[in-house]
Amino acid sequence: MAFGVRLRVSGDYACFTRPEMKVERVSYDVMTPSAARGILEAIHWKPAIKWIVEEIRVLKPIRFQSIRRNEVGAKAPVTAIRKAMRSDDLGDLSLVVEDHRQQRAATVLANVDYVISARFELTPKADGSDNPGKHLDTFNRRTRKGQCFHQPCLGTREFPARFELIEPDAPLPTPETETPDLGFGTPRDLGFMLYDIDHGGDRSSLFFRATLDRGVMKVPPPDSPEIRR
Amino acid sequence: MSALAALVRAYDRMAARNEVPPFGYSIQNIGFLISLNADGSVAGKPVDLRSGEGNKRRARPLAVPQPVKRTSGIAPNFLWDKTAYVLGVTEGDGKRTAAEHQAFVKLHREWLVGHDDEGLVALLRFLDGWLPERFDEWDWPEEMKDQNIVFVLERQRLDDVFIHDRPAARELWATLSAGSGKNAEAICLVSGEKAPVARLHPAIKGVWGAQSSGASIVSFNLDAFTSYGHEQGDNAPISEASAFAYTTALNRFLERDSGHRIQIGDASTVFWADAGAPEAAENAEDFFAGLLGIDDEKIANRGVQDTLDKIRAGCATADVLTELPEGVRFHILGLAPNAARLSVRFYLEDDFGVIARRYLKHVERLRIEPPPREAVPSMWRMLVETAVLRKSENIQPNLAGEWLRAILSDTPYPLTLLSTLIMRLRADHDVNALRVAMLKAILTKNFRMEVPVALDTACTDQGYLLGRLFALYEQAQTIALGHGVNATIKDKYYGAASAQPRKVFHLLESGSANHLSKIGKQKPGLKVNLEKRIGAIMELMEPAKDPFPASLPDRSQALFGLGYYHQRNEFFRKADKSLPEEAAA
């Protein structure tokens, strides 16, 4: 693990929304790789690097809770924004909450704690001034100080994540209770899980078969055949 | 595994046993049958397929070609539909009935033309010759209007082979529904295979409170719900086959008498078992249905009653549970409607033994002396205790689902349950066994407190003691003034006494002195007895601590209710038993 990092993230709530139930939100049981990538990118990201999540370790029992909230059902259409930019008039862009209120239920995770193990690769955008050691140092330094570009979140923005670097020589934390729902005893099949959105291609969803074995969910590398595209 | 994937597996198992319609078909309630001769003429009056008596007649569920999803447009179904489409007649004012009938005829002309199957030809000839006026001319039954209609060939009528069941019709439907699958292919998130993605998913019917035409779990009915410019089903790629399978299985479970559903508060809950042997699965399902009290017969049959009785008598769960089916995965899914969509309140999947044990542990936690009147209070019976006026529509949304989830996953109960119960007690002063049992369960589970099952004269918790004391003051009042008092101290002071004892207890104390002296004039023995008991409670209070605190926290308020309940029932118990336990007091 030359350029690997391990980051412990925790929070009171989390919602890693399943795509099939994203209107009345239901969370996946475990953090998805793309959510983990989002957290890493919130702390340190440059066009020169690409984060690759290797595994996600679950430290707390998986517990759900359901909540109901008022949200809006509309979003500002791109065309209206373009028009506003052209005409320099913000008239049509307003959104009256009272008219678009939608009550939505969500089944979210409560009290979560994960360790994200990840590495990064240099992208073609890396130039002479970039080298892996520099970015690794930057990431570690920023994490130790608690710096981030924007507040990392656990799936959705309303659930902020606390983060903490696990120093390279420190041992990995283990789950406090070894329950069967974390895959102790027999590995637990989590079904197909969202791997990421194919941002380079047609923005379709990529999936992989996730299993939780002794509290660890292994994430296949990006070019692996395990990722269905 | 996700709920949808589990439902697809359940569908596969049912399909293997021929219990569900194949891909492209769905079970619909069909009211009437029109029997045709080969030349398209009608053979007699339409046959009523409904069963039952009077207003409760129920249409017959039949497997028919999958209906199109109708919202506001006109879209006929294939080979069957309601009378407005099939015959052009309807009960209502029917502004567009003619257009609907035209669409039905046009579609069938288009699709059936050139087929030489006897049934299809007969139907086509029937449609060619039909005029809506005939309905009245031929004096067809009025109640047929707005029912779903299917067709049959007269000679096959008694064999129950409908026109849509004929091999030629099935073949045609297979090509037609495949032809409509112009949808883009993508990876299905249920099966992981590349397949045409369902744009709209079939409707799910039978969720309590949802639209009667059905609602969807997977739907993107507003643009705020879509991402990355995807439309409808592309936001969550699910193949047509998977979408069909999960909705069919779910609809089947949601049927009224399926034995797989139970209504808990606002959550329509379905459950199913997954086991190698179908018998073990069935056993588990029946046991669970019995546990939650859906079906009295099942309770009697499966020995669930014995199990529950033993637990109520104080046996530990581990001793009772010896005959649970082994190796059965059990799934429980709670659905509640929300604006034409369905939301998943909870989804649990675990080994059946684990789930049953958790539920029985919950029953054990609810054990209280004296027990509630009902032998097996159902979840619903308990939930209405939290509702204003005991009306089920007043049960807090979300509470039922959260509660059942907590019970079945062995996590702390929702605390809204505690606050709601305390609020109900303060509002209507009805301290009954079910409410007290729930309070006790919450204290035991959430706060890991040792809570007495029956009257515990050694328990020194402040709330518990005050509750007992309050019950004794009430007794003194009842004995002194009889039962004719308009507002007893319970009616007047229960709320204040349980929440802010300091405010009212000195009032109660001085009042009780009057009551006691009145009792003393007629029954001196009873007065001494009551004074002794009040004294015994006072003795347990710690002098250093304020005996009547300014306020009680919610936990102590719960114990107040429990202490009151125990002490009050002790009083009643003594009345019918002649042996008083003076020594213990």
Side-chain angles (χ1 to χ4, degrees):
Chain A
M1 281 233 304
F3 310 124
V5 298
R6 291 172 305 170
L7 186 73
R8 182 170 182 166
V9 292
S10 59
D12 298 336
Y13 295 99
C15 183
F16 309 107
T17 313
R18 290 176 181 275
E20 72 267 35
M21 293 168 207
K22 74 177 201 171
V23 178
E24 301 295 319
R25 286 197 177 109
V26 177
S27 174
Y28 277 113
D29 296 351
V30 175
M31 175 187 269
T32 60
S34 54
R37 174 177 62 78
I39 291 178
L40 296 167
E41 287 178 354
I43 297 170
H44 175 66
W45 178 80
K46 284 279 182 287
I49 61 169
K50 180 175 136 194
W51 282 105
I52 292 160
V53 177
E54 286 177 325
E55 63 173 44
I56 289 163
R57 207 167 269 266
V58 189
L59 301 182
K60 288 244 172 88
I62 296 165
R63 269 184 51 203
F64 284 98
Q65 211 170 75
S66 56
I67 48 178
R68 263 187 145 184
R69 298 175 290 185
N70 288 339
E71 298 181 17
V72 289
K75 57 183 178 185
V78 181
T79 46
I81 296 172
R82 281 210 190 99
K83 201 178 135 203
M85 284 171 76
R86 258 202 322 272
S87 62
D88 225 10
D89 174 20
L90 294 177
D92 291 345
L93 279 182
S94 63
L95 188 127
V96 181
V97 179
E98 276 71 25
D99 297 345
H100 296 282
R101 195 161 273 156
Q102 277 284 315
Q103 200 158 59
R104 287 166 82 181
T107 301
V108 302
L109 292 166
N111 199 8
V112 296
D113 200 348
Y114 301 104
V115 175
I116 303 168
S117 302
R119 65 189 159 88
F120 60 85
E121 275 173 7
L122 292 181
T123 62
K125 287 190 178 162
D127 56 26
S129 67
D130 288 306
N131 66 71
K134 167 186 143 178
H135 285 289
L136 184 65
D137 281 348
T138 313
F139 180 86
N140 287 341
R141 186 180 65 240
R142 287 176 64 81
T143 313
R144 280 186 202 115
K145 285 195 202 165
Q147 286 174 317
C148 49
F149 292 125
H150 56 87
Q151 176 65 46
C153 61
L154 294 163
T156 47
R157 278 291 167 88
E158 58 266 50
F159 302 135
R162 294 184 286 269
F163 60 91
E164 167 193 350
L165 184 73
I166 296 179
E167 297 294 339
D169 45 356
L172 273 171
T174 47
E176 47 194 42
T177 43
E178 304 194 343
T179 51
D181 67 332
L182 295 187
F184 285 93
T186 46
R188 189 170 157 218
D189 179 11
L190 297 174
F192 284 95
M193 182 187 262
L194 182 74
Y195 176 79
D196 213 326
I197 302 288
D198 185 10
H199 286 292
D202 58 354
R203 301 211 143 154
S204 59
S205 313
L206 309 176
F207 293 94
F208 75 108
R209 187 98 197 198
T211 42
L212 195 56
D213 186 7
R214 306 181 61 79
V216 180
M217 184 179 81
K218 292 262 179 227
V219 181
D223 46 1
S224 135
E226 277 180 59
I227 294 172
R228 316 272 180 127
R229 53 179 75 231
Chain B
M1 205 194 305
S2 84
L4 298 193
L7 281 167
V8 170
R9 281 185 51 169
Y11 172 83
D12 290 344
R13 276 194 309 279
M14 286 192 284
R17 294 199 298 267
N18 275 332
E19 289 172 11
V20 280
F23 182 41
Y25 288 76
S26 96
I27 302 281
Q28 298 290 329
N29 293 324
I30 307 294
F32 281 83
L33 173 69
I34 294 178
S35 186
L36 302 176
N37 295 318
D39 61 356
S41 62
V42 177
K45 282 202 172 180
V47 186
D48 193 344
L49 292 176
R50 298 171 302 164
S51 56
E53 289 290 312
N55 289 333
K56 286 187 185 157
R57 306 186 77 171
R58 274 208 250 134
R60 181 164 152 194
L62 284 178
V64 291
Q66 182 88 27
V68 286
K69 202 163 184 173
R70 275 202 284 248
T71 44
S72 54
I74 292 177
N77 294 321
F78 184 56
L79 299 183
W80 69 279
D81 213 321
K82 54 182 183 176
T83 51
Y85 277 90
V86 178
L87 305 175
V89 291
T90 173
E91 187 113 42
D93 51 359
K95 277 175 201 134
R96 36 177 237 187
T97 311
E100 285 171 349
H101 180 56
Q102 283 308 314
F104 186 81
V105 174
K106 183 165 165 269
L107 179 99
H108 283 77
R109 277 201 188 121
E110 211 171 279
W111 283 356
L112 299 184
V113 84
H115 286 274
D116 53 2
D117 177 74
E118 198 185 347
L120 297 180
V121 170
L123 175 62
L124 201 52
R125 284 189 188 145
F126 166 77
L127 288 176
D128 284 338
W130 173 259
L131 291 169
E133 296 78 54
R134 297 245 164 99
F135 192 87
D136 293 323
E137 275 168 37
W138 291 353
D139 196 24
W140 278 8
E142 215 33 48
E143 52 190 359
M144 183 174 164
K145 284 182 178 170
D146 295 329
Q147 295 278 344
N148 284 327
I149 307 284
V150 291
F151 293 92
V152 73
L153 277 179
E154 176 62 18
R155 58 179 178 79
Q156 286 184 320
R157 183 163 64 91
L158 295 177
D159 308 334
D160 267 3
V161 179
F162 305 101
I163 287 187
H164 62 258
D165 283 337
R166 292 174 62 85
R170 280 175 184 256
E171 214 171 284
L172 177 59
W173 179 235
T175 48
L176 285 172
S177 43
S180 71
K182 284 168 239 143
N183 297 344
E185 294 206 344
I187 296 296
C188 167
L189 59 77
V190 174
S191 67
E193 306 297 329
K194 198 155 196 141
V197 169
R199 211 180 77 83
L200 294 176
H201 291 214
I204 292 158
K205 290 184 185 181
V207 174
W208 187 73
Q211 291 169 2
S212 58
S213 57
S216 302
I217 293 182
V218 182
S219 84
F220 304 90
N221 55 356
L222 287 168
D223 50 359
F225 306 153
T226 61
S227 310
Y228 300 117
H230 291 315
E231 272 175 27
Q232 296 293 2
D234 294 341
N235 282 287
I238 296 178
S239 68
E240 282 176 347
S242 296
F244 170 79
Y246 92 81
T247 47
T248 307
L250 191 52
N251 276 326
R252 166 128 178 74
F253 290 149
L254 279 167
E255 275 168 30
R256 208 175 311 182
D257 303 321
S258 69
H260 287 271
R261 75 166 288 167
I262 177 172
Q263 187 69 38
I264 298 171
D266 66 338
S268 298
T269 307
V270 295
F271 52 89
W272 67 96
D274 176 357
E279 208 166 284
E282 209 170 295
N283 272 342
E285 282 159 3
D286 287 355
F287 193 88
F288 188 78
L291 266 191
L292 268 72
I294 312 178
D295 193 336
D296 294 338
E297 255 172 52
K298 275 177 186 158
I299 295 183
N301 286 344
R302 301 284 169 186
V304 179
Q305 185 72 61
D306 278 2
T307 313
L308 290 173
D309 281 346
K310 276 184 200 158
I311 288 174
R312 216 164 286 119
C315 290
T317 21
D319 301 341
V320 181
L321 283 171
T322 43
E323 288 169 33
L324 282 181
E326 296 266 329
V328 178
R329 292 300 285 177
F330 207 70
H331 305 259
I332 304 155
L333 174 68
L335 297 169
N338 184 12
R341 310 181 292 259
L342 295 178
S343 76
V344 173
R345 278 288 152 78
F346 54 87
Y347 171 65
L348 288 154
E349 181 209 356
D350 217 323
D351 190 69
F352 181 68
V354 175
I355 288 180
R357 266 182 203 100
R358 284 174 183 164
Y359 190 81
L360 291 174
K361 261 201 211 154
H362 159 74
V363 175
E364 201 171 277
R365 259 178 247 130
L366 285 172
R367 195 162 72 85
I368 187 104
E369 280 301 328
R373 222 171 292 136
E374 297 98 324
V376 193
S378 63
M379 290 279 294
W380 176 83
R381 182 68 193 80
M382 297 223 153
L383 276 165
V384 290
E385 287 295 335
T386 68
V388 178
L389 298 174
R390 294 210 170 75
K391 282 184 177 164
S392 45
E393 66 260 32
N394 289 340
I395 299 174
Q396 276 182 36
N398 229 349
L399 180 63
E402 282 291 282
W403 195 31
L404 188 63
R405 186 223 312 281
I407 293 168
L408 298 180
S409 56
D410 201 22
T411 50
Y413 296 123
L415 276 180
T416 41
L417 193 60
L418 179 65
S419 54
T420 316
L421 280 169
I422 288 176
M423 202 168 68
R424 286 324 307 150
L425 285 178
R426 293 189 54 173
D428 60 22
H429 322 124
D430 183 6
V431 191
N432 63 30
L434 289 175
R435 287 179 173 180
V436 175
M438 282 189 272
L439 287 175
K440 174 184 169 254
I442 299 165
L443 294 176
T444 325
K445 176 76 199 171
N446 290 29
F447 304 108
R448 291 158 205 253
M449 290 164 82
E450 293 271 337
V451 185
V453 173
L455 179 66
D456 180 2
T457 48
C459 175
T460 55
D461 181 274
Q462 219 167 17
Y464 192 73
L465 290 176
L466 288 175
R468 288 181 59 198
L469 196 58
F470 189 75
L472 284 174
Y473 286 153
E474 193 202 15
Q475 279 163 33
Q477 189 197 32
T478 317
I479 297 169
L481 307 179
H483 289 280
V485 184
N486 279 334
T488 63
I489 65 165
K490 181 178 88 165
D491 298 330
K492 272 177 160 169
Y493 298 118
Y494 183 89
S498 64
Q500 294 161 309
R502 191 181 288 164
K503 265 192 179 163
V504 287
F505 261 92
H506 68 273
L507 260 173
L508 297 174
E509 208 175 0
S510 60
S512 80
N514 295 335
H515 296 144
L516 284 172
S517 85
K518 187 174 177 194
I519 298 170
K521 283 171 194 150
Q522 286 148 2
K523 305 172 192 161
L526 196 53
K527 180 191 170 194
V528 174
N529 194 341
L530 276 170
E531 278 175 339
K532 247 193 200 166
R533 285 202 236 165
I534 292 173
I537 295 174
M538 292 290 196
E539 249 171 51
L540 289 171
M541 291 182 177
E542 292 163 45
K545 257 180 160 178
D546 186 358
F548 302 128
S551 67
L552 279 179
D554 54 359
R555 272 176 249 182
S556 299
Q557 286 189 46
L559 276 166
F560 185 97
L562 196 68
Y564 174 81
Y565 177 80
H566 281 155
Q567 186 67 50
R568 192 174 135 81
N569 284 288
E570 187 69 8
F571 177 60
F572 289 132
R573 206 160 63 123
K574 283 233 174 101
D576 55 34
K577 274 192 194 170
S578 52
L579 260 181
E581 39 177 286
E582 288 297 290

